[in-house]
C-alpha cells in the first residue's frame, strides 16, 4: 500500500510541474495532465475499495465472532482499523441497550431463531470448572453433557489462551426433557421444575 | 464470515459502483481506440517507442483500459476516439440474435454485460442496437442458468459454469445457495447449531500452531 501511495505522490508532483508549464502557454500538454489525473484517480479508487472491503469484513467479524477479537486477527489489523472496530462495538452496544426493555437485547446471539431454550454441550476435554457470564459454574469433564443457557456463544471464545475449539465440537440443540429443564426465568432454584 | 459479510456489488446500468471490486476488475478490460491528436511523452507509458520524449502520432491505434477511456473521452473528442470491441459489433450481434445459448461468454471477455453497459456511455450511433442485443442475450440465456442452478445439487458444476460470464456466474451461485438452503431445511438441519466457519478456521490454525 505504501508503494501505491508513493507512486501517487510522484505522479501528482509531476503533474504539478506540468500544470505550471501549461499555464505558461504550452497548451498541448493538457492531455498529459489529464492522463496522469486519470491514473491518480484510478489508484485512489483501488485503494479506497480495498480499505472499504476490509472494513466490511471487520464488521462481519463483530457479528460472527463477538466483541473480543483473538490476537492473531488483531495482529493483521492496522491501528485505525482497531479504533474503528472499537467505535463500531460501542455504537452497536449503545443501540442494543436502547432496544428491548431495561437491560437491552443482545442482537448478536441467536441469529437463527432457536428451537428450544437450552442446549446441551458435550465436552471433549477435561477442563475443570468454568464460569459463564451469568455466574453459574459448570464442571467440565470428558464426555459429560451439560445444559447451557442462551449464552452459549461465549463458550466459543478463546479465553485465557486455552484451546476452546478443542473443547466443544458439534453442538446440537437437544430439546431438554421437561422434567429436567431448569426453569428459564428463575434459574436452577425454581421449585416448579 | 459468509453470513455477515456483504461486499459491495457491481453497479447496474450505465453507472459503476465506486467501491465495488467487481466493477474495478471490469473496468480493467481493454478496448480498442484511436488517438485523435498527437500524444506527447506517452509513448513509453503505452508500451511503444523507445525514448521518453516521443509522442504517439495522430491516428494510431491503441488498446486502452476502460477507466482510461472514460477519463480521456470528452464530447469534443479531441484526444481519444473509442471503437467498439468486436463482440459488440454487427457480426457478433447477429450471432447473439440467432442463438445466444451457444456463445462462450467467459472467453469473450468475462464481463460481457457490465462492459457493454459501460460502452453505452460513449456516444456511438449503434448504442440502441447494442443495448437491445445485450438485453436479448440475457433473456435468452437466463432460463438455462436458472434451470441448471436449481437442479444441480451436490454435483460438480464446473461444466455448467464454464461458459457463463461473471454476472451470470453470480446469479448461478445465488441459485445454488438457495437450493442448498432449501435442502438443508428439508433435512431438518436448519435448526442445528454449527460453529461459524470463522471459528472453525481459527481452530484449525491454532491446532497447526500447537503442532508445528
Amino acid at each position: 500500500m505504501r508503494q501505491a501511495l508513493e507512486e501517487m505522490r510522484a505522479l501528482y508532483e509531476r503533474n504539478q510541474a506540468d500544470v505550471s508549464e501549461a499555464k505558461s502557454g504550452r497548451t498541448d500538454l493538457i492531455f498529459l495532465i489529464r492522463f496522469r489525473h486519470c491514473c491518480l484517480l484510478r489508484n485512489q479508487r483501488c485503494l479506497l475499495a480495498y480499505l472499504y472491503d476490509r472494513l466490511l469484513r471487520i464488521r462481519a467479524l463483530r457479528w460472527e465472532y463477538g466483541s473480543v477479537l483473538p490476537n492473531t486477527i488483531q495482529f493483521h489489523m492496522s491501528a485505525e482499523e482497531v479504533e474503528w472496530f472499537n467505535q463500531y462495538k460501542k455504537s452497536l452496544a449503545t443501540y442494543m441497550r436502547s432496544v428491548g426493555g431495561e437491560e437491552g437485547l443482545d442482537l448478536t446471539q441467536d441469529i437463527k431463531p432457536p428451537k428450544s431454550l437450552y442446549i446441551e454441550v458435550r465436552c471433549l476435554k477435561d477442563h475443570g470448572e468454568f464460569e459463564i457470564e451469568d455466574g453459574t459454574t459448570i464442571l467440565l469433564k470428558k464426555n459429560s453433557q451439560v445444559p447451557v443457557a442462551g449464552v452459549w456463544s461465549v463458550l466459543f471464545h478463546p479465553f485465557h489462551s486455552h484451546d476452546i475449539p478443542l473443547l466443544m465440537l458439534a453442538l446440537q440443540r437437544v430439546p431438554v426433557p421437561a422434567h429436567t429443564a431448569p426453569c428459564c426465568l428463575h434459574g436452577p432454584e425454581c421449585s416448579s421444575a | 464470515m459468509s453470513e455477515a459479510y456483504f461486499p459491495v456489488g457491481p453497479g447496474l446500468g450505465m453507472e459503476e459502483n465506486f467501491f465495488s471490486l467487481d466493477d474495478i476488475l471490469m473496468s480493467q478490460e481493454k478496448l480498442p481506440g484511436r488517438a485523435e491528436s498527437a500524444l506527447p511523452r506517452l509513448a513509453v507509458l503505452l508500451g511503444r517507442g523507445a525514448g521518453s520524449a516521443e509522442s504517439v502520432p495522430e491516428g494510431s491505434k491503441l488498446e486502452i483500459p476502460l477507466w482510461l477511456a472514460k477519463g480521456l473521452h470528452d464530447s469534443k473528442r479531441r484526444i481519444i476516439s473509442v471503437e467498439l470491441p468486436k463482440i459488440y459489433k454487427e457480426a457478433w450481434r447477429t450471432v447473439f440474435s440467432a442463438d445466444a445459448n451457444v456463445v462462450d461468454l467467459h472467453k469473450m471477455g468475462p464481463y460481457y454485460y457490465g462492459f457493454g453497459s459501460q460502452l453505452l456511455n460513449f456516444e456511438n450511433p449503434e448504442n440502441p442496437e447494442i443495448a437491445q442485443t445485450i438485453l436479448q442475450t440475457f433473456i435468452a440465456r437466463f432460463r438455462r442458468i436458472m434451470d441448471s442452478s436449481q437442479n444441480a445439487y451436490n454435483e460438480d458444476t464446473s461444466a455448467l459454469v464454464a461458459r457463463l460470464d461473471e454476472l451470470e456466474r453470480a446469479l448461478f451461485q445465488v441459485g445454488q445457495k438457495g437450493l442448498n438452503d432449501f435442502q438443508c431445511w428439508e433435512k431438518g438441519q436448519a435448526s442445528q447449531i454449527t460453529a461459524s466457519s470463522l471459528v472453525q478456521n481459527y481452530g484449525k490454525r491454532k491446532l497447526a500452531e500447537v503442532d508445528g
Side-chain angles (χ1 to χ4, degrees), chain B residues 67-124:
Chain B
W67 54 270
L68 198 53
K70 277 173 88 163
L72 293 176
H73 178 87
D74 67 359
S75 52
K76 289 180 277 216
R77 264 179 275 139
R78 292 176 299 149
I79 306 168
I80 291 278
S81 73
V82 163
E83 291 168 1
L84 294 177
K86 63 177 180 1
I87 196 176
Y88 300 97
K89 283 201 173 137
E90 195 59 48
W92 274 100
R93 290 212 290 270
T94 47
V95 173
F96 282 123
S97 57
D99 183 4
N101 269 315
V102 169
V103 185
D104 186 352
L105 273 189
H106 187 72
K107 202 174 56 148
M108 297 287 148
Y111 289 101
Y112 177 70
Y113 298 106
F115 201 68
S117 309
Q118 293 306 312
L119 279 182
L120 300 175
N121 274 323
F122 303 112
E123 298 113 9
N124 198 306

Side-chain angles (χ1 to χ4, degrees), chain A:
Chain A
M1 230 184 74
R2 217 164 288 133
Q3 251 182 334
L5 281 174
E6 275 176 25
E7 189 183 319
M8 274 179 68
R9 202 166 296 130
L11 278 173
Y12 184 67
E13 277 157 22
R14 272 157 66 188
N15 220 14
Q16 287 287 72
D18 276 337
V19 162
S20 50
E21 208 173 323
K23 273 196 228 170
S24 62
R26 288 190 65 192
T27 48
D28 58 340
L29 282 181
I30 288 181
F31 159 72
L32 205 61
I33 299 165
R34 198 159 166 183
F35 174 77
R36 283 214 197 92
H37 189 64
C38 283
C39 297
L40 280 173
L41 284 177
R42 177 72 176 175
N43 281 354
Q44 183 196 37
R45 180 183 181 187
C46 294
L47 283 176
L48 284 177
Y50 173 68
L51 291 174
Y52 189 68
D53 198 64
R54 278 179 76 113
L55 283 185
L56 287 177
R57 287 180 195 257
I58 295 175
R59 185 176 76 174
L61 277 179
R62 169 65 185 92
W63 283 90
E64 297 250 339
Y65 214 71
S67 53
V68 178
L69 290 179
N71 277 330
T72 46
I73 295 186
Q74 254 184 334
F75 175 70
H76 290 296
M77 292 178 11
S78 73
E80 288 88 7
E81 283 169 351
V82 171
E83 172 68 33
W84 186 87
F85 183 76
N86 290 332
Q87 298 274 20
Y88 184 75
K89 232 176 24 180
K90 253 182 251 169
S91 310
L92 192 61
T94 320
Y95 176 69
M96 291 199 290
R97 257 200 301 277
S98 68
V99 167
E102 295 174 352
E103 294 170 6
L105 186 61
D106 190 358
L107 292 169
T108 58
Q109 301 209 359
D110 286 342
I111 291 204
K112 294 191 193 154
K115 291 277 176 170
S116 68
L117 208 49
Y118 284 93
I119 58 172
E120 299 217 342
V121 172
R122 190 173 302 142
C123 305
L124 296 181
K125 201 164 106 169
D126 192 357
H127 196 74
E129 294 223 336
F130 171 49
E131 186 169 325
I132 54 175
E133 273 175 11
D134 56 358
T136 53
T137 50
I138 315 176
L139 184 61
L140 300 175
K141 265 180 106 59
K142 194 156 184 171
N143 281 327
S144 72
Q145 293 187 236
V146 170
V148 173
V151 289
W152 58 277
S153 57
V154 79
L155 295 171
F156 285 106
H157 283 230
F159 64 101
H160 311 311
S161 76
H162 290 305
D163 281 13
I164 279 289
L166 288 178
L167 282 175
M168 334 278 183
L169 207 59
L171 304 186
Q172 195 161 359
R173 278 194 193 261
V174 177
V176 184
H179 64 277
T180 56
C183 180
C184 48
L185 289 176
H186 303 292
E189 304 84 36
C190 179
S191 55
S192 64

Side-chain angles (χ1 to χ4, degrees), chain B residues 130-182:
Chain B
I130 299 174
Q132 203 52 27
T133 310
I134 296 176
L135 192 60
Q136 292 303 321
T137 319
F138 182 70
I139 293 173
R141 288 168 72 101
F142 176 67
R143 174 84 195 278
R144 187 175 279 195
I145 299 169
M146 195 175 87
D147 272 342
S148 57
S149 76
Q150 289 296 313
N151 289 306
Y153 182 60
N154 264 344
E155 286 167 17
D156 177 26
T157 55
S158 53
L160 295 164
V161 168
R163 299 158 76 88
L164 305 179
D165 92 332
E166 293 297 319
L167 180 87
E168 294 170 342
R169 279 188 190 175
L171 282 176
F172 187 85
Q173 275 160 19
V174 167
Q176 283 285 69
K177 183 171 185 309
L179 181 67
N180 286 332
D181 286 345
F182 175 68

